[in-house]
Every structure is written in structure tokens, then in C-alpha cells.
PDB file of all heavy atoms in Angstrom:
ATOM      1  N   ASP A   1     137.628  86.105  33.880  1.00  0.00           N
ATOM      2  CA  ASP A   1     136.504  85.805  34.770  1.00  0.00           C
ATOM      3  C   ASP A   1     136.808  86.181  36.215  1.00  0.00           C
ATOM      4  O   ASP A   1     137.965  86.136  36.652  1.00  0.00           O
ATOM      5  CB  ASP A   1     136.145  84.319  34.704  1.00  0.00           C
ATOM      6  CG  ASP A   1     135.535  83.931  33.370  1.00  0.00           C
ATOM      7  OD1 ASP A   1     134.955  84.819  32.711  1.00  0.00           O
ATOM      8  OD2 ASP A   1     135.651  82.760  32.987  1.00  0.00           O
ATOM      9  N   VAL A   2     135.760  86.483  36.950  1.00  0.00           N
ATOM     10  CA  VAL A   2     135.870  86.792  38.378  1.00  0.00           C
ATOM     11  C   VAL A   2     136.424  85.571  39.099  1.00  0.00           C
ATOM     12  O   VAL A   2     136.045  84.433  38.809  1.00  0.00           O
ATOM     13  CB  VAL A   2     134.479  87.160  38.954  1.00  0.00           C
ATOM     14  CG1 VAL A   2     134.532  87.263  40.466  1.00  0.00           C
ATOM     15  CG2 VAL A   2     133.991  88.459  38.362  1.00  0.00           C
ATOM     16  N   GLU A   3     137.327  85.807  40.028  1.00  0.00           N
ATOM     17  CA  GLU A   3     137.931  84.730  40.803  1.00  0.00           C
ATOM     18  C   GLU A   3     137.762  85.033  42.286  1.00  0.00           C
ATOM     19  O   GLU A   3     138.541  85.787  42.865  1.00  0.00           O
ATOM     20  CB  GLU A   3     139.408  84.598  40.434  1.00  0.00           C
ATOM     21  CG  GLU A   3     140.119  83.459  41.094  1.00  0.00           C
ATOM     22  CD  GLU A   3     139.492  82.110  40.812  1.00  0.00           C
ATOM     23  OE1 GLU A   3     139.490  81.681  39.644  1.00  0.00           O
ATOM     24  OE2 GLU A   3     138.988  81.477  41.767  1.00  0.00           O
ATOM     25  N   GLU A   4     136.722  84.461  42.883  1.00  0.00           N
ATOM     26  CA  GLU A   4     136.409  84.740  44.288  1.00  0.00           C
ATOM     27  C   GLU A   4     137.516  84.312  45.246  1.00  0.00           C
ATOM     28  O   GLU A   4     137.686  84.902  46.298  1.00  0.00           O
ATOM     29  CB  GLU A   4     135.089  84.062  44.686  1.00  0.00           C
ATOM     30  CG  GLU A   4     133.863  84.726  44.124  1.00  0.00           C
ATOM     31  CD  GLU A   4     133.652  86.165  44.592  1.00  0.00           C
ATOM     32  OE1 GLU A   4     134.102  86.542  45.688  1.00  0.00           O
ATOM     33  OE2 GLU A   4     133.051  86.927  43.827  1.00  0.00           O
ATOM     34  N   ARG A   5     138.280  83.309  44.884  1.00  0.00           N
ATOM     35  CA  ARG A   5     139.358  82.841  45.772  1.00  0.00           C
ATOM     36  C   ARG A   5     140.498  83.846  45.880  1.00  0.00           C
ATOM     37  O   ARG A   5     141.351  83.721  46.758  1.00  0.00           O
ATOM     38  CB  ARG A   5     139.931  81.507  45.273  1.00  0.00           C
ATOM     39  CG  ARG A   5     138.951  80.362  45.361  1.00  0.00           C
ATOM     40  CD  ARG A   5     139.546  79.106  44.776  1.00  0.00           C
ATOM     41  NE  ARG A   5     139.824  79.360  43.366  1.00  0.00           N
ATOM     42  CZ  ARG A   5     140.698  78.676  42.638  1.00  0.00           C
ATOM     43  NH1 ARG A   5     141.385  77.710  43.159  1.00  0.00           N
ATOM     44  NH2 ARG A   5     140.882  78.981  41.359  1.00  0.00           N
ATOM     45  N   HIS A   6     140.514  84.807  44.961  1.00  0.00           N
ATOM     46  CA  HIS A   6     141.619  85.767  44.928  1.00  0.00           C
ATOM     47  C   HIS A   6     141.070  87.194  44.949  1.00  0.00           C
ATOM     48  O   HIS A   6     140.856  87.802  43.899  1.00  0.00           O
ATOM     49  CB  HIS A   6     142.467  85.538  43.681  1.00  0.00           C
ATOM     50  CG  HIS A   6     143.024  84.162  43.600  1.00  0.00           C
ATOM     51  ND1 HIS A   6     144.012  83.707  44.439  1.00  0.00           N
ATOM     52  CD2 HIS A   6     142.695  83.119  42.801  1.00  0.00           C
ATOM     53  CE1 HIS A   6     144.280  82.457  44.153  1.00  0.00           C
ATOM     54  NE2 HIS A   6     143.490  82.066  43.169  1.00  0.00           N
ATOM     55  N   PRO A   7     140.860  87.757  46.145  1.00  0.00           N
ATOM     56  CA  PRO A   7     140.261  89.095  46.237  1.00  0.00           C
ATOM     57  C   PRO A   7     141.098  90.199  45.604  1.00  0.00           C
ATOM     58  O   PRO A   7     140.562  91.228  45.215  1.00  0.00           O
ATOM     59  CB  PRO A   7     140.107  89.316  47.744  1.00  0.00           C
ATOM     60  CG  PRO A   7     140.995  88.332  48.399  1.00  0.00           C
ATOM     61  CD  PRO A   7     141.137  87.180  47.455  1.00  0.00           C
ATOM     62  N   THR A   8     142.404  89.997  45.468  1.00  0.00           N
ATOM     63  CA  THR A   8     143.253  91.032  44.861  1.00  0.00           C
ATOM     64  C   THR A   8     143.438  90.839  43.358  1.00  0.00           C
ATOM     65  O   THR A   8     144.210  91.565  42.733  1.00  0.00           O
ATOM     66  CB  THR A   8     144.637  91.068  45.546  1.00  0.00           C
ATOM     67  OG1 THR A   8     145.228  89.763  45.454  1.00  0.00           O
ATOM     68  CG2 THR A   8     144.537  91.481  47.003  1.00  0.00           C
ATOM     69  N   SER A   9     142.710  89.905  42.769  1.00  0.00           N
ATOM     70  CA  SER A   9     142.874  89.608  41.336  1.00  0.00           C
ATOM     71  C   SER A   9     142.608  90.780  40.392  1.00  0.00           C
ATOM     72  O   SER A   9     143.177  90.796  39.296  1.00  0.00           O
ATOM     73  CB  SER A   9     142.026  88.399  40.944  1.00  0.00           C
ATOM     74  OG  SER A   9     140.660  88.629  41.175  1.00  0.00           O
ATOM     75  N   PRO A  10     141.801  91.780  40.748  1.00  0.00           N
ATOM     76  CA  PRO A  10     141.666  92.917  39.825  1.00  0.00           C
ATOM     77  C   PRO A  10     142.964  93.704  39.616  1.00  0.00           C
ATOM     78  O   PRO A  10     143.081  94.453  38.657  1.00  0.00           O
ATOM     79  CB  PRO A  10     140.604  93.793  40.489  1.00  0.00           C
ATOM     80  CG  PRO A  10     139.812  92.848  41.318  1.00  0.00           C
ATOM     81  CD  PRO A  10     140.825  91.853  41.830  1.00  0.00           C
ATOM     82  N   PHE A  11     143.944  93.513  40.494  1.00  0.00           N
ATOM     83  CA  PHE A  11     145.227  94.208  40.347  1.00  0.00           C
ATOM     84  C   PHE A  11     146.121  93.424  39.378  1.00  0.00           C
ATOM     85  O   PHE A  11     147.184  92.919  39.738  1.00  0.00           O
ATOM     86  CB  PHE A  11     145.910  94.381  41.705  1.00  0.00           C
ATOM     87  CG  PHE A  11     145.091  95.143  42.701  1.00  0.00           C
ATOM     88  CD1 PHE A  11     144.718  94.570  43.902  1.00  0.00           C
ATOM     89  CD2 PHE A  11     144.665  96.441  42.436  1.00  0.00           C
ATOM     90  CE1 PHE A  11     143.952  95.269  44.828  1.00  0.00           C
ATOM     91  CE2 PHE A  11     143.900  97.150  43.354  1.00  0.00           C
ATOM     92  CZ  PHE A  11     143.537  96.561  44.557  1.00  0.00           C
ATOM     93  N   VAL A  12     145.684  93.328  38.133  1.00  0.00           N
ATOM     94  CA  VAL A  12     146.386  92.524  37.137  1.00  0.00           C
ATOM     95  C   VAL A  12     147.791  93.052  36.845  1.00  0.00           C
ATOM     96  O   VAL A  12     148.648  92.302  36.376  1.00  0.00           O
ATOM     97  CB  VAL A  12     145.576  92.396  35.821  1.00  0.00           C
ATOM     98  CG1 VAL A  12     144.283  91.654  36.044  1.00  0.00           C
ATOM     99  CG2 VAL A  12     145.321  93.753  35.195  1.00  0.00           C
ATOM    100  N   ASP A  13     148.044  94.312  37.125  1.00  0.00           N
ATOM    101  CA  ASP A  13     149.365  94.889  36.858  1.00  0.00           C
ATOM    102  C   ASP A  13     150.456  94.286  37.726  1.00  0.00           C
ATOM    103  O   ASP A  13     151.636  94.395  37.392  1.00  0.00           O
ATOM    104  CB  ASP A  13     149.339  96.409  37.015  1.00  0.00           C
ATOM    105  CG  ASP A  13     148.919  96.850  38.410  1.00  0.00           C
ATOM    106  OD1 ASP A  13     148.021  96.222  38.999  1.00  0.00           O
ATOM    107  OD2 ASP A  13     149.479  97.845  38.904  1.00  0.00           O
ATOM    108  N   ASP A  14     150.091  93.626  38.822  1.00  0.00           N
ATOM    109  CA  ASP A  14     151.081  92.998  39.695  1.00  0.00           C
ATOM    110  C   ASP A  14     151.577  91.663  39.159  1.00  0.00           C
ATOM    111  O   ASP A  14     152.569  91.138  39.642  1.00  0.00           O
ATOM    112  CB  ASP A  14     150.492  92.749  41.093  1.00  0.00           C
ATOM    113  CG  ASP A  14     150.312  94.017  41.887  1.00  0.00           C
ATOM    114  OD1 ASP A  14     150.979  95.027  41.580  1.00  0.00           O
ATOM    115  OD2 ASP A  14     149.499  94.000  42.831  1.00  0.00           O
ATOM    116  N   THR A  15     150.902  91.092  38.172  1.00  0.00           N
ATOM    117  CA  THR A  15     151.140  89.709  37.788  1.00  0.00           C
ATOM    118  C   THR A  15     152.205  89.505  36.715  1.00  0.00           C
ATOM    119  O   THR A  15     152.759  88.400  36.617  1.00  0.00           O
ATOM    120  CB  THR A  15     149.835  89.055  37.309  1.00  0.00           C
ATOM    121  OG1 THR A  15     149.335  89.770  36.184  1.00  0.00           O
ATOM    122  CG2 THR A  15     148.795  89.031  38.413  1.00  0.00           C
ATOM    123  N   ALA A  16     152.493  90.507  35.909  1.00  0.00           N
ATOM    124  CA  ALA A  16     153.465  90.330  34.824  1.00  0.00           C
ATOM    125  C   ALA A  16     154.087  91.663  34.438  1.00  0.00           C
ATOM    126  O   ALA A  16     153.456  92.707  34.543  1.00  0.00           O
ATOM    127  CB  ALA A  16     152.793  89.707  33.601  1.00  0.00           C
ATOM    128  N   VAL A  17     155.333  91.580  33.967  1.00  0.00           N
ATOM    129  CA  VAL A  17     156.010  92.716  33.350  1.00  0.00           C
ATOM    130  C   VAL A  17     156.120  92.365  31.874  1.00  0.00           C
ATOM    131  O   VAL A  17     156.682  91.322  31.518  1.00  0.00           O
ATOM    132  CB  VAL A  17     157.413  92.935  33.955  1.00  0.00           C
ATOM    133  CG1 VAL A  17     158.151  94.045  33.213  1.00  0.00           C
ATOM    134  CG2 VAL A  17     157.315  93.246  35.440  1.00  0.00           C
ATOM    135  N   ILE A  18     155.568  93.204  31.018  1.00  0.00           N
ATOM    136  CA  ILE A  18     155.522  92.909  29.590  1.00  0.00           C
ATOM    137  C   ILE A  18     156.243  94.004  28.816  1.00  0.00           C
ATOM    138  O   ILE A  18     155.879  95.179  28.904  1.00  0.00           O
ATOM    139  CB  ILE A  18     154.062  92.795  29.098  1.00  0.00           C
ATOM    140  CG1 ILE A  18     153.327  91.727  29.899  1.00  0.00           C
ATOM    141  CG2 ILE A  18     154.030  92.493  27.601  1.00  0.00           C
ATOM    142  CD1 ILE A  18     151.830  91.727  29.684  1.00  0.00           C
ATOM    143  N   ILE A  19     157.267  93.577  28.076  1.00  0.00           N
ATOM    144  CA  ILE A  19     158.028  94.499  27.242  1.00  0.00           C
ATOM    145  C   ILE A  19     158.358  93.769  25.944  1.00  0.00           C
ATOM    146  O   ILE A  19     158.880  92.647  25.970  1.00  0.00           O
ATOM    147  CB  ILE A  19     159.324  94.965  27.939  1.00  0.00           C
ATOM    148  CG1 ILE A  19     158.995  95.692  29.250  1.00  0.00           C
ATOM    149  CG2 ILE A  19     160.158  95.858  27.011  1.00  0.00           C
ATOM    150  CD1 ILE A  19     160.198  96.022  30.112  1.00  0.00           C
ATOM    151  N   ASN A  20     158.048  94.401  24.817  1.00  0.00           N
ATOM    152  CA  ASN A  20     158.385  93.855  23.501  1.00  0.00           C
ATOM    153  C   ASN A  20     157.905  92.416  23.310  1.00  0.00           C
ATOM    154  O   ASN A  20     158.655  91.554  22.868  1.00  0.00           O
ATOM    155  CB  ASN A  20     159.892  93.965  23.241  1.00  0.00           C
ATOM    156  CG  ASN A  20     160.360  95.398  23.196  1.00  0.00           C
ATOM    157  OD1 ASN A  20     159.601  96.301  22.850  1.00  0.00           O
ATOM    158  ND2 ASN A  20     161.599  95.626  23.563  1.00  0.00           N
ATOM    159  N   ASN A  21     156.660  92.162  23.676  1.00  0.00           N
ATOM    160  CA  ASN A  21     156.007  90.859  23.474  1.00  0.00           C
ATOM    161  C   ASN A  21     156.612  89.730  24.309  1.00  0.00           C
ATOM    162  O   ASN A  21     156.434  88.558  23.992  1.00  0.00           O
ATOM    163  CB  ASN A  21     155.970  90.480  21.997  1.00  0.00           C
ATOM    164  CG  ASN A  21     154.737  89.668  21.669  1.00  0.00           C
ATOM    165  OD1 ASN A  21     153.652  89.918  22.186  1.00  0.00           O
ATOM    166  ND2 ASN A  21     154.890  88.686  20.808  1.00  0.00           N
ATOM    167  N   ILE A  22     157.345  90.071  25.349  1.00  0.00           N
ATOM    168  CA  ILE A  22     157.845  89.095  26.316  1.00  0.00           C
ATOM    169  C   ILE A  22     157.223  89.438  27.653  1.00  0.00           C
ATOM    170  O   ILE A  22     157.258  90.593  28.096  1.00  0.00           O
ATOM    171  CB  ILE A  22     159.379  89.134  26.438  1.00  0.00           C
ATOM    172  CG1 ILE A  22     160.024  88.797  25.096  1.00  0.00           C
ATOM    173  CG2 ILE A  22     159.860  88.168  27.530  1.00  0.00           C
ATOM    174  CD1 ILE A  22     161.521  89.025  25.064  1.00  0.00           C
ATOM    175  N   ALA A  23     156.637  88.436  28.295  1.00  0.00           N
ATOM    176  CA  ALA A  23     156.002  88.629  29.597  1.00  0.00           C
ATOM    177  C   ALA A  23     156.788  87.880  30.661  1.00  0.00           C
ATOM    178  O   ALA A  23     156.945  86.660  30.586  1.00  0.00           O
ATOM    179  CB  ALA A  23     154.566  88.120  29.557  1.00  0.00           C
ATOM    180  N   LEU A  24     157.286  88.608  31.639  1.00  0.00           N
ATOM    181  CA  LEU A  24     157.914  87.998  32.810  1.00  0.00           C
ATOM    182  C   LEU A  24     156.829  87.839  33.861  1.00  0.00           C
ATOM    183  O   LEU A  24     156.267  88.834  34.334  1.00  0.00           O
ATOM    184  CB  LEU A  24     159.057  88.865  33.340  1.00  0.00           C
ATOM    185  CG  LEU A  24     159.668  88.421  34.677  1.00  0.00           C
ATOM    186  CD1 LEU A  24     160.270  87.009  34.564  1.00  0.00           C
ATOM    187  CD2 LEU A  24     160.718  89.421  35.143  1.00  0.00           C
ATOM    188  N   MET A  25     156.509  86.611  34.198  1.00  0.00           N
ATOM    189  CA  MET A  25     155.491  86.356  35.209  1.00  0.00           C
ATOM    190  C   MET A  25     156.079  86.678  36.570  1.00  0.00           C
ATOM    191  O   MET A  25     157.180  86.223  36.904  1.00  0.00           O
ATOM    192  CB  MET A  25     155.017  84.899  35.152  1.00  0.00           C
ATOM    193  CG  MET A  25     154.450  84.499  33.790  1.00  0.00           C
ATOM    194  SD  MET A  25     153.264  85.658  33.062  1.00  0.00           S
ATOM    195  CE  MET A  25     151.994  85.719  34.307  1.00  0.00           C
ATOM    196  N   CYS A  26     155.361  87.453  37.326  1.00  0.00           N
ATOM    197  CA  CYS A  26     155.859  87.928  38.614  1.00  0.00           C
ATOM    198  C   CYS A  26     155.597  86.924  39.730  1.00  0.00           C
ATOM    199  O   CYS A  26     154.919  85.924  39.547  1.00  0.00           O
ATOM    200  CB  CYS A  26     155.206  89.273  38.942  1.00  0.00           C
ATOM    201  SG  CYS A  26     155.684  90.577  37.790  1.00  0.00           S
ATOM    202  N   ASN A  27     156.145  87.236  40.866  1.00  0.00           N
ATOM    203  CA  ASN A  27     155.955  86.456  42.083  1.00  0.00           C
ATOM    204  C   ASN A  27     155.559  87.447  43.173  1.00  0.00           C
ATOM    205  O   ASN A  27     156.353  87.781  44.030  1.00  0.00           O
ATOM    206  CB  ASN A  27     157.250  85.722  42.447  1.00  0.00           C
ATOM    207  CG  ASN A  27     157.066  84.794  43.618  1.00  0.00           C
ATOM    208  OD1 ASN A  27     155.946  84.458  43.983  1.00  0.00           O
ATOM    209  ND2 ASN A  27     158.160  84.388  44.216  1.00  0.00           N
ATOM    210  N   PRO A  28     154.312  87.949  43.087  1.00  0.00           N
ATOM    211  CA  PRO A  28     153.924  89.004  44.023  1.00  0.00           C
ATOM    212  C   PRO A  28     153.809  88.501  45.452  1.00  0.00           C
ATOM    213  O   PRO A  28     153.729  87.302  45.714  1.00  0.00           O
ATOM    214  CB  PRO A  28     152.578  89.477  43.485  1.00  0.00           C
ATOM    215  CG  PRO A  28     152.061  88.367  42.677  1.00  0.00           C
ATOM    216  CD  PRO A  28     153.246  87.611  42.163  1.00  0.00           C
ATOM    217  N   TYR A  29     153.784  89.454  46.321  1.00  0.00           N
ATOM    218  CA  TYR A  29     153.715  89.226  47.763  1.00  0.00           C
ATOM    219  C   TYR A  29     152.474  88.412  48.126  1.00  0.00           C
ATOM    220  O   TYR A  29     151.400  88.616  47.578  1.00  0.00           O
ATOM    221  CB  TYR A  29     153.675  90.592  48.457  1.00  0.00           C
ATOM    222  CG  TYR A  29     153.626  90.540  49.952  1.00  0.00           C
ATOM    223  CD1 TYR A  29     154.777  90.284  50.686  1.00  0.00           C
ATOM    224  CD2 TYR A  29     152.436  90.749  50.634  1.00  0.00           C
ATOM    225  CE1 TYR A  29     154.747  90.251  52.065  1.00  0.00           C
ATOM    226  CE2 TYR A  29     152.395  90.719  52.013  1.00  0.00           C
ATOM    227  CZ  TYR A  29     153.557  90.471  52.723  1.00  0.00           C
ATOM    228  OH  TYR A  29     153.518  90.428  54.082  1.00  0.00           O
ATOM    229  N   GLY A  30     152.643  87.504  49.066  1.00  0.00           N
ATOM    230  CA  GLY A  30     151.508  86.725  49.569  1.00  0.00           C
ATOM    231  C   GLY A  30     151.160  85.551  48.672  1.00  0.00           C
ATOM    232  O   GLY A  30     151.920  85.149  47.803  1.00  0.00           O
ATOM    233  N   ASN A  31     149.983  85.026  48.886  1.00  0.00           N
ATOM    234  CA  ASN A  31     149.519  83.841  48.167  1.00  0.00           C
ATOM    235  C   ASN A  31     148.691  84.259  46.953  1.00  0.00           C
ATOM    236  O   ASN A  31     147.474  84.207  46.977  1.00  0.00           O
ATOM    237  CB  ASN A  31     148.713  82.945  49.109  1.00  0.00           C
ATOM    238  CG  ASN A  31     148.323  81.652  48.450  1.00  0.00           C
ATOM    239  OD1 ASN A  31     148.900  81.260  47.432  1.00  0.00           O
ATOM    240  ND2 ASN A  31     147.342  80.982  49.010  1.00  0.00           N
ATOM    241  N   ARG A  32     149.363  84.657  45.888  1.00  0.00           N
ATOM    242  CA  ARG A  32     148.652  85.168  44.710  1.00  0.00           C
ATOM    243  C   ARG A  32     148.951  84.343  43.454  1.00  0.00           C
ATOM    244  O   ARG A  32     148.687  84.781  42.349  1.00  0.00           O
ATOM    245  CB  ARG A  32     149.020  86.638  44.494  1.00  0.00           C
ATOM    246  CG  ARG A  32     148.575  87.513  45.660  1.00  0.00           C
ATOM    247  CD  ARG A  32     148.909  88.959  45.459  1.00  0.00           C
ATOM    248  NE  ARG A  32     148.160  89.503  44.349  1.00  0.00           N
ATOM    249  CZ  ARG A  32     148.393  90.705  43.819  1.00  0.00           C
ATOM    250  NH1 ARG A  32     149.337  91.467  44.315  1.00  0.00           N
ATOM    251  NH2 ARG A  32     147.677  91.138  42.798  1.00  0.00           N
ATOM    252  N   GLN A  33     149.494  83.143  43.623  1.00  0.00           N
ATOM    253  CA  GLN A  33     149.874  82.344  42.457  1.00  0.00           C
ATOM    254  C   GLN A  33     148.680  81.988  41.566  1.00  0.00           C
ATOM    255  O   GLN A  33     148.833  81.852  40.364  1.00  0.00           O
ATOM    256  CB  GLN A  33     150.619  81.086  42.894  1.00  0.00           C
ATOM    257  CG  GLN A  33     152.008  81.377  43.432  1.00  0.00           C
ATOM    258  CD  GLN A  33     152.842  82.227  42.477  1.00  0.00           C
ATOM    259  OE1 GLN A  33     152.972  81.900  41.308  1.00  0.00           O
ATOM    260  NE2 GLN A  33     153.389  83.330  42.976  1.00  0.00           N
ATOM    261  N   GLY A  34     147.496  81.846  42.143  1.00  0.00           N
ATOM    262  CA  GLY A  34     146.307  81.587  41.335  1.00  0.00           C
ATOM    263  C   GLY A  34     146.021  82.722  40.364  1.00  0.00           C
ATOM    264  O   GLY A  34     145.558  82.492  39.248  1.00  0.00           O
ATOM    265  N   GLU A  35     146.296  83.921  40.780  1.00  0.00           N
ATOM    266  CA  GLU A  35     146.125  85.080  39.893  1.00  0.00           C
ATOM    267  C   GLU A  35     147.116  85.020  38.736  1.00  0.00           C
ATOM    268  O   GLU A  35     146.772  85.346  37.593  1.00  0.00           O
ATOM    269  CB  GLU A  35     146.366  86.377  40.665  1.00  0.00           C
ATOM    270  CG  GLU A  35     145.387  86.628  41.777  1.00  0.00           C
ATOM    271  CD  GLU A  35     145.772  87.840  42.599  1.00  0.00           C
ATOM    272  OE1 GLU A  35     146.218  88.853  42.013  1.00  0.00           O
ATOM    273  OE2 GLU A  35     145.627  87.784  43.827  1.00  0.00           O
ATOM    274  N   ILE A  36     148.315  84.583  39.022  1.00  0.00           N
ATOM    275  CA  ILE A  36     149.363  84.504  38.009  1.00  0.00           C
ATOM    276  C   ILE A  36     148.969  83.504  36.926  1.00  0.00           C
ATOM    277  O   ILE A  36     149.165  83.746  35.737  1.00  0.00           O
ATOM    278  CB  ILE A  36     150.712  84.092  38.646  1.00  0.00           C
ATOM    279  CG1 ILE A  36     151.101  85.026  39.782  1.00  0.00           C
ATOM    280  CG2 ILE A  36     151.809  83.997  37.598  1.00  0.00           C
ATOM    281  CD1 ILE A  36     151.251  86.456  39.418  1.00  0.00           C
ATOM    282  N   SER A  37     148.394  82.390  37.322  1.00  0.00           N
ATOM    283  CA  SER A  37     148.018  81.345  36.367  1.00  0.00           C
ATOM    284  C   SER A  37     147.031  81.849  35.321  1.00  0.00           C
ATOM    285  O   SER A  37     147.181  81.569  34.125  1.00  0.00           O
ATOM    286  CB  SER A  37     147.418  80.146  37.098  1.00  0.00           C
ATOM    287  OG  SER A  37     148.361  79.574  37.950  1.00  0.00           O
ATOM    288  N   ALA A  38     146.025  82.585  35.749  1.00  0.00           N
ATOM    289  CA  ALA A  38     145.019  83.094  34.809  1.00  0.00           C
ATOM    290  C   ALA A  38     145.634  84.067  33.814  1.00  0.00           C
ATOM    291  O   ALA A  38     145.333  84.022  32.623  1.00  0.00           O
ATOM    292  CB  ALA A  38     143.875  83.763  35.575  1.00  0.00           C
ATOM    293  N   ILE A  39     146.520  84.920  34.288  1.00  0.00           N
ATOM    294  CA  ILE A  39     147.169  85.884  33.402  1.00  0.00           C
ATOM    295  C   ILE A  39     148.128  85.163  32.451  1.00  0.00           C
ATOM    296  O   ILE A  39     148.172  85.459  31.252  1.00  0.00           O
ATOM    297  CB  ILE A  39     147.916  86.973  34.207  1.00  0.00           C
ATOM    298  CG1 ILE A  39     146.941  87.763  35.069  1.00  0.00           C
ATOM    299  CG2 ILE A  39     148.714  87.885  33.291  1.00  0.00           C
ATOM    300  CD1 ILE A  39     145.906  88.559  34.311  1.00  0.00           C
TER     301      ILE A  39
END
């Protein structure tokens, strides 16, 4: 879903590194933790 509080949320590639069914949740620059939660 659209998340107005997070204007950079369409950049989903910043939120996790996924290899072999394991996802490492990232800690991207700035205040983007809300984006991480949805992913």
C-alpha cells in the first residue's frame, strides 16, 4: 500500500538484501524505518 509518511518508499530495493530465501533487513540512510517494517 501507498505510504504517504514515507516519500522514498517506492525504492523498495533499499530495504532488504535477499539471497537464497534469507532477507537481511537494511538500515538505510535517514529516517526510513517505517519502510523497512512494511517490507
Side-chain angles (χ1 to χ4, degrees):
D1 291 335
V2 171
E3 184 58 65
E4 286 298 333
R5 293 176 298 158
H6 302 290
T8 57
S9 60
F11 302 120
V12 296
D13 59 321
D14 288 339
T15 60
V17 175
I18 303 169
I19 300 172
N20 297 332
N21 212 38
I22 299 171
L24 172 61
M25 302 313 301
C26 295
N27 186 16
Y29 181 78
N31 185 18
R32 297 181 66 190
Q33 289 308 308
E35 297 173 40
I36 305 301
S37 297
I39 298 296

